[in-house]
């Protein structure tokens, strides 16, 4: 790809004045994982409270993942133009408003709006955290390991909070990230790009394409949805040609290395999220475990996978890219195959461990690869687009699980 010159002023705009501690970045970004996974074991009670089917209530997971997917590149654009503090403020507003709506929504459609708002705010927090950690696989590994740990705890926390209080309180877990906002704001400062403007048309094309892609598994690949995805993709391609420095930088999306990293992350995350939502039913049907036992088992399995993923993130600096891709793709395929044929709960939980290891490790390592395909000024956009691809797996997975297992 062509190398673009970067002025000292651009570098100052892209790099924070003081390095934010990695654990603080994890506190900012990781609670969204707990919020995303909290519904895993409480979908039946949520469905009963709202008077809908369990398959229908999985839309609260899909809406959350969709908003996470589109929100990360959108907030990356805002971060690039207006800086860290503005991105944190706007994200906080979405989280607070969305949480209030989740707490009060009487119907499923209103609940979906609240969950989407929560996820948009969380996506802003993720965009800020990953942008501030960009360039370091170890720092990114701390963030994604935090994702893994809280994501692992999410199902059990959701179940326990749902039993002790209500499912509505369980769906407020992502709001914990608000605690980190003032501390990150004090550490991190970045100035907006002089003369920059937000790429509204690019944002619209990204949202349209991501929405159509999310609807494909939900609608069984209906022809109108496929046509909408094709049209949205074509419009986005045309827009990138007209505005190559916009929200979707042409130099980034034309890079084979970026495309390889993004598609690998999409495949591995789809595998992980499908298993995450299918395993409780599979373990219940095949082994007869209670929801509490399943929650504890999943917690142990996912924590183990998350801990191992930090190791691969640290070791990746001594591995070739081909070896890294090989590890993630093989494990990402092995986990669902194991789940299909496993007849015992322990073996199903091993599949969950492998899946979260591959997903969390790939998120940490491949996001660094993706970020290196961009200039310093474009790095937030590159990471935002990478996370969009990873989060699409979070939308595809529950929909696939609903069709194959939960329906």
């Amino acid at each position: 790809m062509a190398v673009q010159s970067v002025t000292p002023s651009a570098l100052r705009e892209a790099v924070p004045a003081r390095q934010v501690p990695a654990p603080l970045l994890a506190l900012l970004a990781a609670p969204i994982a707990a919020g995303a996974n909290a519904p895993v074991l409480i979908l039946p009670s949520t469905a009963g409270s709202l008077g809908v089917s369990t398959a229908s209530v999985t839309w609260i997971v899909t809406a959350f993942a969709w908003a996470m997917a589109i929100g990360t590149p959108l907030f990356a654009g805002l971060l690039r133009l207006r800086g860290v503090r503005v991105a944190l403020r706007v994200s906080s507003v979405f989280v607070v408003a969305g949480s209030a709506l989740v707490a009060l929504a009487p119907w499923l459609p209103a609940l979906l709006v609240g969950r989407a708002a929560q996820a948009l705010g969380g996506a802003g927090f993720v965009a800020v955290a990953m942008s501030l950690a960009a360039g370091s696989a170890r720092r990114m590994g701390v963030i994604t390991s935090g994702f893994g740990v809280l994501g692992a705890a999410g199902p059990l926390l959701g179940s326990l909070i749902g039993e002790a209080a209500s499912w509505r309180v369980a769906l407020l877990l992502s709001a914990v990230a608000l605690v980190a906002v003032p501390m990150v704001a004090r550490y991190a400062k970045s100035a907006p790009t002089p003369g920059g403007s937000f790429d509204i048309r690019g944002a619209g094309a990204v949202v349209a394409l991501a929405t159509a892609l999310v609807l494909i598994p939900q609608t069984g690949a209906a022809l109108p949805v496929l046509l909408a995805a094709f049209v949205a993709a074509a419009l986005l391609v045309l827009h990138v040609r007209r505005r190559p420095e916009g929200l979707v930088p042409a130099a980034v999306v034309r890079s084979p290395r970026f495309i390889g990293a993004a598609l690998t992350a999409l495949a591995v995350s789809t595998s992980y999220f499908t298993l995450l939502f299918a395993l409780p039913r599979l373990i219940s049907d095949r082994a007869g475990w209670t929801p509490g036992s399943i929650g504890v088992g999943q917690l142990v399995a996912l924590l183990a996978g998350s801990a191992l993923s930090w190791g691969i993130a640290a070791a990746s600096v001594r591995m070739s890219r081909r070896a890294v891709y090989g590890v993630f793709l093989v494990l990402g395929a092995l986990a669902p195959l194991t789940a299909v044929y496993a007849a015992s709960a322990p073996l199903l939980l091993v599949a969950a461990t492998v899946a979260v290891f591959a997903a969390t490790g790939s998120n940490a390592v491949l996001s660094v690869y993706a970020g290196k395909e961009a200039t310093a000024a474009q790095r937030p956009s590159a990471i935002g687009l990478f996370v969009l691809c990873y989060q699409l797996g979070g939308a595809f997975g529950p929909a696939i699980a609903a069709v194959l297992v939960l329906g």
Side-chain angles (χ1 to χ4, degrees), residues 270-315:
T270 300
S271 170
Y272 163 59
F273 283 105
T274 301
L275 279 178
L276 181 69
F277 284 86
L279 276 178
R281 175 66 66 83
L282 292 177
I283 294 175
S284 176
D285 291 346
R286 297 179 187 178
W289 283 22
T290 64
S293 299
I294 293 171
V296 172
Q298 269 197 319
L299 175 62
V300 172
L302 299 184
L303 284 177
S306 299
L308 292 171
S309 72
W310 188 89
I312 190 68

Side-chain angles (χ1 to χ4, degrees), residues 20-21 23-31 88 92 125 128-129 174-188:
V20 185
L24 188 56
L25 295 179
L27 178 60
L28 179 70
L88 287 174
S92 298
F125 293 154
V128 169
S174 59
V176 172
L178 293 168
V179 173
V181 171
M183 293 181 282
V184 173
R186 282 199 298 269
Y187 267 99

Side-chain angles (χ1 to χ4, degrees), residues 29-40 42 60-61 64 115 118-119 150-151 153-155 157-158 170-176 277:
I32 197 72
N37 293 349
V40 171
I42 59 173
I60 68 172
V61 180
F64 197 93
R115 288 285 287 171
Q118 284 181 315
L150 288 187
L157 284 174
L171 297 183
L172 303 180
L173 283 171
S174 59
V176 172
F277 284 86

Side-chain angles (χ1 to χ4, degrees), residues 53-97:
S53 68
T54 300
S56 296
V57 88
T58 59
W59 273 100
I60 68 172
V61 180
T62 302
F64 197 93
W66 166 80
M68 274 288 292
I70 67 167
T72 307
L74 297 183
F75 273 97
L78 179 65
L79 175 64
R80 178 180 169 186
L81 294 174
R82 301 300 301 273
V84 169
R85 296 193 177 209
V86 171
L88 287 174
R89 289 193 195 105
V90 176
S91 300
S92 298
V93 169
F94 273 106
V95 170
V96 171

